[in-house]
Amino acid sequence: EDKVVQSPLSLVVHEGDTVTLNCSYEVTNFRSLLWYKQEKKAPTFLFMLTSSGIEKKSGRLSSILDKKELFSILNITATQTGDSAIYLCAVEGNKLVFGAGTILRVKS
Amino acid sequence: ETGVTQSPTHLIKTRGQQVTLRCSSQSGHNTVSWYQQALGQGPQFIFQYYREEENGRGNFPPRFSGLQFPNYSSELNVNALELDDSALYLCASSLALGQGGEQYFGPGTRLTVT
């Protein structure tokens, strides 16, 4: 059965810290891995990764995929209180499977 | 905002009742997916519609059904509601057939079954 596991489940950091969120997966017929940020209700799209080793970057956020080891990381540098949210990883195989998410809280 | 809208925002139903949730996709998007997100969990894929046809289904019983209309808006119907159906129901629209690509989520409908 397809599976996506995110870690840690939650973490609390101070403004300015750098955080790394992890996503490992087991999925049949891998097509892509996606990261979303969920603040109140609607998850908002961050990145889609399809190729190993190519870093995607958007401002203070970056992500990379390792298709050999079956994981991805999402980095956030110089965290701000506005980064507080649930970060969801999803993997598209025969269907789209989400992890349970990582709850990030950034304290001022 | 993504341009995807859902109605209603909140809903309270009694066990055994039926419910219809609605979703209007982003302009130009022909694919709509529905997800159930229970508290503390990630969204679980229910099904996807592409050009009015079901295109993939997750592990949900047949009492979860859907429709997509010619304007690509969509409905999720749930019959014989159970307490465990209480969740946030999200729809997402995309241009890509399949389930990934850049999906744009609506704000969700919070369903409470008592």
Side-chain angles (χ1 to χ4, degrees):
Chain A
E1 187 176 326
D2 294 348
K3 188 167 63 173
V4 177
V5 178
Q6 292 186 244
S7 64
L9 290 178
S10 67
L11 74 163
V12 180
V13 301
H14 288 95
E15 271 191 316
D17 288 350
T18 293
V19 298
T20 298
L21 310 183
N22 304 294
C23 175
S24 64
Y25 62 91
E26 294 175 27
V27 66
T28 305
N29 298 326
F30 175 89
R31 291 162 67 177
S32 65
L33 184 144
L34 303 105
W35 285 96
Y36 291 87
K37 178 182 181 183
Q38 187 174 27
E39 293 179 83
K40 290 184 179 176
K41 285 188 176 180
T44 54
F45 172 83
L46 294 175
F47 298 111
M48 182 172 75
L49 303 158
T50 57
S51 301
S52 266
I54 299 174
E55 184 182 53
K56 293 248 178 143
K57 198 168 170 64
S58 176
R60 296 177 294 103
L61 277 66
S62 64
S63 183
I64 198 161
L65 172 67
D66 186 329
K67 289 169 74 174
K68 183 179 175 186
E69 300 298 328
L70 306 183
F71 79 90
S72 173
I73 60 172
L74 175 68
N75 281 316
I76 309 174
T77 58
T79 52
Q80 302 171 358
T81 54
D83 295 328
S84 297
I86 301 171
Y87 289 84
L88 295 165
C89 170
V91 177
E92 181 185 13
N94 292 328
K95 60 181 180 179
L96 190 63
V97 180
F98 280 83
T102 293
I103 301 170
L104 172 64
R105 182 178 162 215
V106 181
K107 295 169 72 172
S108 57
Chain B
E1 289 196 3
T2 62
V4 180
T5 61
Q6 291 186 242
S7 63
T9 307
H10 296 88
L11 199 52
I12 299 174
K13 288 285 190 177
T14 303
R15 192 170 53 183
Q17 286 187 314
Q18 179 266 344
V19 69
T20 297
L21 311 182
R22 295 179 175 83
C23 171
S24 291
S25 57
Q26 183 156 314
S27 177
H29 285 187
N30 55 23
T31 304
V32 174
S33 303
W34 285 92
Y35 298 86
Q36 180 195 68
Q37 187 175 20
L39 201 61
Q41 296 182 23
Q44 301 292 312
F45 174 69
I46 303 175
F47 44 57
Q48 182 186 70
Y49 279 83
Y50 170 69
R51 293 187 175 179
E52 303 177 58
E53 297 286 332
E54 187 178 292
N55 177 58
R57 188 179 181 92
N59 297 325
F60 281 82
R63 58 189 186 84
F64 285 78
S65 63
L67 279 174
Q68 188 180 31
F69 300 99
N71 65 356
Y72 303 135
S73 65
S74 177
E75 284 183 356
L76 165 65
N77 298 292
V78 187
N79 294 321
L81 283 167
E82 301 177 0
L83 297 179
D84 284 349
D85 295 334
S86 296
L88 179 68
Y89 288 85
L90 295 163
C91 79
S93 74
S94 64
L95 275 173
L97 185 59
Q99 296 146 42
E102 286 190 37
Q103 290 193 84
Y104 294 90
F105 283 84
T109 293
R110 173 74 62 188
L111 173 65
T112 302
V113 182
T114 61

